[in-house]
């Protein structure tokens, strides 16, 4: 007789265990075992526990290929799903083989688990495993299907409701409950005070500060005190919620006719605009892509989206200061250039309209499309193109966790008929058009942070903490995936002949980039270097970049004078006519404000089940070399975390959005 020892682990999430009967069949190259019940004395398959079982065969099964797991009902109990984490099998020859499962198994269902080291398709040697691999991908492609988000936009998964998602890629019940509770708690506070749905306008700043009676953070309170200040305004374009848009200004734009006389009072004494441009101290923010965007109709009138321009000056104190603003692309008498020396409320309004455009661009493009929806493209392609035994599936799947769930919810809550994007100057159709234009302009280099920084000329601007932390994280991620990819792909030829890998990048290019060859995104891989760079970009996007554009939403948007999706009044066309009353009339009303506040509070929240960058709680690798590489990755992230905390301790405004312990492995909120 030959004996196989099995260690069967049940997940540690609530209700992971089962009372049902579980049986296994071991399938090897030389035969298969009889179906064997896994039944010890007492209860089996308890949440968070591992049970040891024995399967006996008349002789060795040869190379162990598959473990077939079946679950049948216990008595007449109702459905009792079981979350199987892993099965580790020790063969009669003494080999210990890991068979990852990490999924829920229902009654009457069976799963066949692959075990051992990661294998690419061209490395398969056994006919049974080749057929199993093909069958798995056929099933995955029928389950995960593409659907266009809107005409001219990228494709996402076809799921309409989270109940349609497989249980293992949905939020845990605990997280779903926490999100719902967070939303309800703040919503009920506002409702109790009669603010939900209220069409009243905010009377003054003191009235607006009532918001802090319900929720606040140290940063949101700081912003309420400093939102008017020009140096803090400039700071936000480097370290705020949308930190990747300003660029070095090497020459003045013909459609932004700023003169020496206009800005000389705001430059260093004795200097000039052209001299400061030559020294690399002038920077530009330009929202030309918003020109002509459809807008929301409010009370029978179309609102105005500003496609504005803002000129910044890095002064001798290393503070980035706004020195000129034009609110539309084409200069005219009704489109003046606003200056810091203008009437205070004129200048504040000009800055507010720039931030309104920035908020719409941030939410529609840099947050929703570039991280959430592109993250979904990477996730769906991974689930469709890689079987679970593929090395890139093992490497990528932790970075896909919960992405489909949050995005299915988001498409309803944000882009549905009553979605929150309706409460914006552009309205839902306008926000979709902003995404559409941005997708057509998206480039591979803009998604790769080192190239992005160089292209914008921001390599040396001081106090740019997003850049400093982001670049260090990029290179740490790159180093980790270089080690992993080079382990699995010893040569460029291995990359080229991996047909599943080529299918993966092809689907991303077709359904994510809509075959835009001008984007520079790859549509095939021919070398190890190409693969390493692309995977680095993918992981950076769904972890680091998402943290940068998501974590601070409550901080920067709760005080709506600092940034809001919606402004009611048209931007000023003349100078000297505004007042604080004009500003308050321009803001969203009370009901619109609290509706947005509830959402950004939810998105900025902390929930159970958070998996920080570099943590891989699901055991998937059977290779000790990969375990060591992961430990080194974690050590580098920990070291960086200590460096960031040390730096932040010296700053008036700590930048902690890219603290590794705060960055999630995936887009999951």
């Amino acid at each position: 007789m030959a004996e196989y020892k099995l260690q069967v682990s049940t997940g540690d999430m609530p209700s992971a265990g089962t009372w049902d009967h579980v049986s296994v069949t071991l399938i090897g190259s030389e035969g298969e075992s009889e179906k064997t019940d896994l039944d010890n004395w007492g209860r089996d398959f308890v949440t968070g526990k591992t049970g040891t079982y024995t399967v006996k065969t008349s002789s060795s099964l040869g190379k162990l290929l598959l473990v077939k797991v079946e679950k049948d009902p216990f008595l007449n109990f109702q459905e009792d799903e079981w979350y199987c984490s892993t099965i580790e099998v020790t063969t009669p020859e003494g080999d210990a083989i890991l068979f990852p499962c990490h999924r829920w198994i229902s009654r009457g269902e069976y799963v066949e688990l692959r075990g051992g080291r990661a294998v690419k398709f061209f490395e398969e040697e056994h006919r049974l495993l080749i057929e199993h691999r093909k069958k798995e991908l056929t099933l995955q492609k029928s389950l995960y299907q593409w659907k266009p988000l809107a005409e001219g936009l990228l494709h996402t998964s076809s799921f309409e409701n989270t109940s349609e998602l497989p249980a293992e890629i949905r939020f845990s019940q605990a997280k779903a409950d926490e999100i719902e509770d967070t939303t309800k708690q703040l919503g009920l506070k506002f409702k109790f005070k009669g603010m939900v749905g209220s069409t009243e306008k905010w009377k003054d700043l003191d009235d607006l500060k009532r918001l802090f009676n319900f929720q606040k953070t140290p940063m949101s309170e700081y912003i309420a005190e400093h939102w008017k200040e020009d140096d803090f305004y400039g700071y936000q374009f480097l370290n705020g919620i949308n930190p990747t848009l300003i660029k070095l200004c090497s020459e003045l734009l013909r459609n932004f006719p700023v003169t020496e006389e206009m800005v000389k009072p705001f430059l260093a004494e004795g200097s000039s605009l052209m001299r400061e441009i030559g020294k690399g101290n002038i920077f530009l923010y330009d929202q030309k892509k918003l020109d002509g965007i459809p807008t929301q109709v409010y009370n029978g009138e179309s609102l105005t989206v500003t496609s504005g321009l803002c000129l910044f000056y890095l002064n001798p104190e290393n503070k980035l200061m706004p020195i000129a603003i034009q609110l539309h692309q084409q200069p005219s008498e009704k489109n003046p250039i606003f200056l810091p020396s203008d009437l205070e409320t004129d200048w504040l309004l000009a800055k507010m309209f720039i931030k309104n455009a920035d908020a719409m661009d941030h939410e529609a493009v840099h947050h929703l499309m570039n991280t959430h929806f592109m993250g979904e493209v990477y996730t769906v392609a991974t689930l469709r193109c890689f079987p679970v035994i593929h090395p890139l599936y093992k490497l990528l799947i932790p970075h896909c966790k919960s992405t489909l769930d949050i995005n299915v919810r988001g498409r309803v809550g944000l882009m549905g008929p009553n979605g929150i994007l309706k409460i914006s100057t552009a309205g839902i159709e306008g926000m979709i058009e902003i995404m559409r234009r941005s997708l057509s302009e998206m480039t591979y280099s803009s998604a790769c942070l080192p190239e992005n920084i160089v292209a914008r000329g921001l390599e040396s601007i001081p106090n740019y903490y997003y850049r400093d932390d982001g670049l260090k994280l990029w290179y740490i991620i790159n180093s980790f995936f270089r080690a992993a990819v080079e382990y699995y792909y010893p040569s460029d030829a291995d990359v080229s002949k991996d047909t599943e890998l080529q299918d993966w990048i092809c689907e991303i290019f077709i359904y994510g980039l809509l075959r835009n060859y001008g984007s520079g995104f790859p549509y095939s891989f021919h070398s190890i270097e190409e693969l390493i760079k692309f995977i680095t970009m993918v992981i950076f996007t769904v972890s680091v970049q998402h943290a940068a554009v998501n974590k601070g939403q409550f901080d920067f948007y709760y005080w709506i004078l600092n940034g809001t999706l919606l402004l009611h009044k048209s931007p000023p066309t003349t100078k000297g006519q505004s007042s604080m009353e004009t500003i308050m009339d321009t803001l969203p009303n009370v009901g619109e404000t609290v509706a947005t506040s509830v959402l950004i509070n939810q998105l900025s929240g902390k929930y159970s089940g958070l998996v920080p960058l570099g943590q891989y709680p699901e055991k998937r690798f059977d290779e000790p070399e990969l375990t060591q590489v992961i430990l080194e990755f974690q050590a580098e992230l920990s070291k960086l975390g200590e460096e960031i905390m040390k730096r932040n301790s010296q700053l008036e405004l700590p930048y902690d959005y890219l603290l590794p312990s705060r960055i999630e492995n995936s887009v999951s909120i």
Side-chain angles (χ1 to χ4, degrees), residues 26-218:
L26 305 183
I27 303 171
S29 59
E30 304 298 326
E32 62 182 66
S33 72
E34 293 184 358
K35 179 178 176 180
T36 305
D37 288 338
L38 303 183
D39 187 13
N40 289 332
W41 179 258
R43 186 184 174 190
D44 298 288
F45 318 117
V46 177
T47 298
K49 301 295 184 182
T50 298
T52 302
Y53 304 90
T54 300
V55 174
K56 295 182 179 181
T57 60
S58 58
S59 61
S60 172
L61 301 174
K63 181 181 178 181
L64 195 56
L65 305 177
L66 299 169
V67 174
K68 182 178 180 180
V69 184
E70 300 176 76
K71 190 165 81 71
D72 299 303
F74 174 69
L75 300 176
N76 292 317
F77 286 13
Q78 62 183 9
E79 173 62 74
D80 186 23
E81 284 192 318
W82 173 47
Y83 189 91
C84 176
S85 291
T86 59
I87 297 178
E88 295 188 51
V89 181
T90 302
T91 68
E93 295 78 22
D95 297 323
I97 306 171
L98 173 70
F99 288 80
C101 183
H102 304 298
R103 57 163 293 176
W104 294 91
I105 302 176
S106 302
R107 283 182 184 167
E109 182 182 12
Y110 75 87
V111 296
E112 292 179 340
L113 306 179
R114 284 286 306 263
R117 302 168 73 88
V119 180
K120 299 181 286 297
F121 180 73
F122 61 83
E123 296 169 331
E124 295 283 18
E125 297 177 345
H126 199 283
R127 179 185 57 80
L128 178 64
L129 294 182
I130 293 173
E131 292 305 314
H132 179 269
R133 192 176 191 117
K134 291 179 178 178
K135 181 180 175 182
E136 179 188 347
L137 287 182
T138 299
L139 178 63
Q140 290 294 91
K141 286 182 177 178
S142 69
L143 177 59
Y144 299 100
Q145 297 189 10
W146 296 105
K147 179 182 178 181
L149 184 61
E151 184 180 353
L153 278 184
L154 44 66
H155 291 57
T156 57
S157 71
S158 62
F159 297 109
E160 304 266 336
N161 193 288
T162 56
S163 63
E164 301 170 9
L165 296 170
E168 55 272 8
I169 65 171
R170 290 203 300 264
F171 284 165
S172 67
Q173 192 58 50
K175 180 173 180 177
D177 290 344
E178 288 170 16
I179 291 173
E180 186 176 351
D181 288 346
T182 299
T183 304
K184 280 184 177 178
Q185 286 175 15
L186 186 56
L188 286 173
K189 290 178 184 178
F190 286 138
K191 190 171 184 179
F192 181 73
K193 292 294 185 179
M195 300 169 77
V196 174
S198 172
T199 57
E200 289 186 12
K201 300 293 288 185
W202 298 102
K203 298 181 182 66
D204 50 35
L205 296 185
D206 289 335
D207 188 30
L208 188 57
K209 284 185 177 179
R210 283 194 293 147
L211 287 169
F212 292 114
N213 296 332
F214 304 98
Q215 192 78 309
K216 59 187 175 184
T217 62

Side-chain angles (χ1 to χ4, degrees), residues 63 235 264 298 353 370-371 384 407 463 502 546 578 646 656:
K63 181 181 178 181
Y235 168 92
K264 187 173 183 178
Y298 189 86
F353 274 97
N370 289 1
T371 64
R384 284 172 53 87
N407 283 3
N463 306 320
Q502 302 299 339
H546 180 250
S578 67
K646 182 178 180 181
D656 63 358

Side-chain angles (χ1 to χ4, degrees), residues 286-340:
D286 186 355
Q287 276 291 4
K288 60 184 176 184
K289 72 179 174 188
L290 299 192
D291 195 22
I293 287 289
T295 63
Q296 183 185 165
V297 176
Y298 189 86
N299 289 339
E301 294 186 8
S302 294
L303 301 180
T304 303
V305 170
T306 54
S307 52
L309 305 104
C310 182
L311 206 62
F312 290 91
Y313 167 53
L314 183 68
N315 71 17
E317 289 78 43
N318 285 334
K319 293 180 178 180
L320 191 66
M321 308 291 284
I323 57 172
I325 291 174
Q326 182 177 290
L327 293 177
H328 301 283
Q329 285 291 306
Q330 296 306 318
S332 70
E333 287 186 11
K334 293 188 176 181
N335 184 27
I337 294 176
F338 292 93
L339 306 169

